Amino acid sequence: MLLPSAVWDGPPLMAVHDDAPSVFIYPALTPLPLLGARDGEDHPLNALLGRTRAAALGLLTQQLTTTDIARELDISKSSASEHAKALRDARLIVTQREGKAVWHSCTPLGLDLLTGSA
């Protein structure tokens, strides 16, 4: 199901559900005039998860390695790994090991939290 969003201005999101249609959420071309672009500093998830962890969750709408997360957020690999562990323990991301690489991506719950659907 394609779902344009007037409130989501980030990268497209994909939510895959076993018992419902998959949903592809993408920003609408023209946001509502009363809604300003959301500044990362005031995102509601910052208060709940902390700024860095919320940013990591936002990055994981696409599959990334721990190294990718560290590079994108300008943090150490060990810090990126700790953030990924906390998000995984909260069931907001899933992790797959492929050789030496560890790949992370959002779960449907993580995507719902990012889009405000949870």
Side-chain angles (χ1 to χ4, degrees):
M1 178 185 328
L2 296 175
L3 182 64
S5 173
V7 295
W8 177 251
D9 61 358
L13 305 172
M14 180 75 158
V16 179
H17 301 284
D18 292 334
D19 56 347
S22 296
V23 179
F24 184 77
I25 303 164
Y26 60 95
L29 294 176
T30 307
L32 293 174
L34 298 178
L35 298 176
R38 205 175 271 239
D39 183 359
E41 296 294 319
D42 67 352
H43 195 285
L45 287 181
N46 289 352
L48 180 65
L49 301 176
R51 189 177 339 170
T52 304
R53 196 160 290 156
L57 182 61
L59 287 173
L60 294 173
T61 58
Q62 58 184 335
Q63 192 175 41
L64 297 174
T65 66
T66 306
T67 302
D68 295 333
I69 296 168
R71 182 178 44 251
E72 289 292 322
L73 298 178
D74 197 25
I75 58 176
S76 69
K77 289 181 191 176
S78 62
S79 181
S81 180
E82 286 296 316
H83 287 300
K85 180 184 181 321
L87 293 169
R88 185 175 50 254
D89 289 348
R91 298 185 179 156
L92 298 177
I93 68 167
V94 292
T95 299
Q96 295 175 314
R97 181 171 293 278
E98 197 173 288
K100 290 186 179 184
V102 180
W103 292 89
H104 311 282
S105 60
C106 275
T107 62
L109 177 60
L111 291 172
D112 286 347
L113 192 61
L114 283 168
T115 61
S117 302

